Amino acid sequence: MELDAEDTVVVTNKASDDGIGDLLDRIGKASERLVDSSERQAHELDERMKEFIDRSEKATQDFVDRVDKELRTQLASLRKEVAQLQSRLSGAARPAKKAPAKKAPAKKTAAKKAPARKTAAKKAPARKTAAKKAPAKKVAARR
């Protein structure tokens, strides 16, 4: 059997067509695997991102709740302190008004007693002066 040139080209073309076909099939299968792998990784990445976002939102909400609770506690404490200060100030203001009213009559009484003593003291020296003047008049009368 003898092969001529046409038969050799056909056999070679069939062999190369089969090789290219096989190569194309392998490339197609590889690209399908890459697409599947990429889709799987994209799906996993989406899931991880959702988990991350959920954890982040939960942590943020927990933080906001803690800050809110602390602020409410401090605000309640501050209101209580303000109420105590107001009651102290209103309580201190009332006795302060009453105390001067009570002390004022006591001072007036003391003031009345002091001038009374001074008047009595002045009368006594006035008597002594009168007594001294009397002898002086007598001396003048002797001349």
Side-chain angles (χ1 to χ4, degrees), residues 54-69:
D54 289 344
R55 281 186 290 158
S56 175
E57 287 175 349
K58 185 182 182 313
T60 300
Q61 188 61 43
D62 289 346
F63 177 73
V64 168
D65 290 344
R66 279 185 274 144
V67 168
D68 182 56
K69 181 180 177 182

Side-chain angles (χ1 to χ4, degrees), residues 31-46:
S31 68
E32 286 176 8
R33 284 192 307 261
L34 284 173
V35 168
D36 289 343
S37 176
S38 296
E39 287 175 353
R40 196 172 39 251
Q41 287 178 354
H43 180 70
E44 288 176 6
L45 182 63
D46 284 343

Side-chain angles (χ1 to χ4, degrees), residues 88-104:
R88 261 202 245 162
L89 289 174
S90 64
R94 290 178 189 156
K97 291 179 182 177
K98 291 179 182 178
K102 291 180 182 178
K103 290 181 181 177

Side-chain angles (χ1 to χ4, degrees), residues 18-34:
D18 288 341
I20 292 175
D22 288 343
L23 183 62
L24 288 174
D25 284 343
R26 287 191 287 172
I27 290 173
K29 289 178 183 178
S31 68
E32 286 176 8
R33 284 192 307 261
L34 284 173

Side-chain angles (χ1 to χ4, degrees), residues 128-143:
K128 290 180 183 177
T129 308
K132 288 182 182 177
K133 288 182 181 177
K137 289 181 183 177
K138 291 180 184 177
V139 174
R142 290 184 189 168
R143 283 187 191 178

Side-chain angles (χ1 to χ4, degrees), residues 118-130:
K118 289 180 183 177
T119 307
K122 287 182 182 177
K123 289 181 181 178
R127 291 179 190 163
K128 290 180 183 177
T129 308

